[in-house]
Amino acid sequence: LDRGGNGCEVIPAQDIKPFVGPYQTGKTSNGIKVFTSRKYSSSETFLAEHFQAVDVFATVLQQLCNIFSLDKSTVAIFHDPSGATIAFNANKSLHFNFRFFFSLHFNARTAPDSSCYSYWFTVMAHELAHNFVSAHNKEHGFYTESYVTLFLPKLAAFLAQNNIK
């Protein structure tokens, strides 16, 4: 995957729309909102064909919300089939690109491993830092590192308790 840019530019709201999905709710089985690209009709098809993987991603995000003590209503999954955006923070609502999870971490035969959780943990810490500063500068780096430092013990405990290697 080519990220291009810095990986977390905000995707304008007019570029994504709710994805109704198999549950007819616009959400995953655990209640996380799902959005699809307005620009690419292939996005809806891809989400429909791979919704089992979307539900797996939602479980990963829910576990990370528990680690960061976030309400899962503050996170969403979106699918952008071609952009460089891994995740973005829009008004303290964190959006994570399913395309990156599917390409990097999804395996239909195995549960997500520690590399999956550590990757998305770091992405979530990065996006949470945008609650304090929008630019990618030293201050943003400080807040990202602060989130990692504060919550890494909870991630390690979660991985150990659940025997995730």
Side-chain angles (χ1 to χ4, degrees), residues 24 79 88 92 113 117 123 130-132 142 155 157 165:
Q24 302 298 305
H79 180 252
F88 65 91
K92 298 184 180 181
D113 62 12
Y117 278 98
V123 171
H130 283 303
N131 287 343
F132 298 101
F142 167 78
L155 174 64
K165 308 239 183 250

Side-chain angles (χ1 to χ4, degrees), residues 67-117:
I67 289 165
F68 283 106
S69 301
L70 297 174
D71 188 299
K72 72 178 178 203
S73 68
T74 64
V75 301
I77 295 169
F78 74 99
H79 180 252
D80 179 2
S82 67
T85 302
I86 297 167
F88 65 91
N89 180 332
N91 299 316
K92 298 184 180 181
S93 179
L94 312 181
H95 294 70
F96 300 91
N97 193 343
F98 174 68
R99 179 169 63 93
F100 286 87
F101 172 80
F102 189 80
S103 295
L104 297 172
H105 300 114
F106 180 70
N107 182 332
R109 292 179 297 282
T110 61
D113 62 12
S114 62
S115 66
C116 170
Y117 278 98

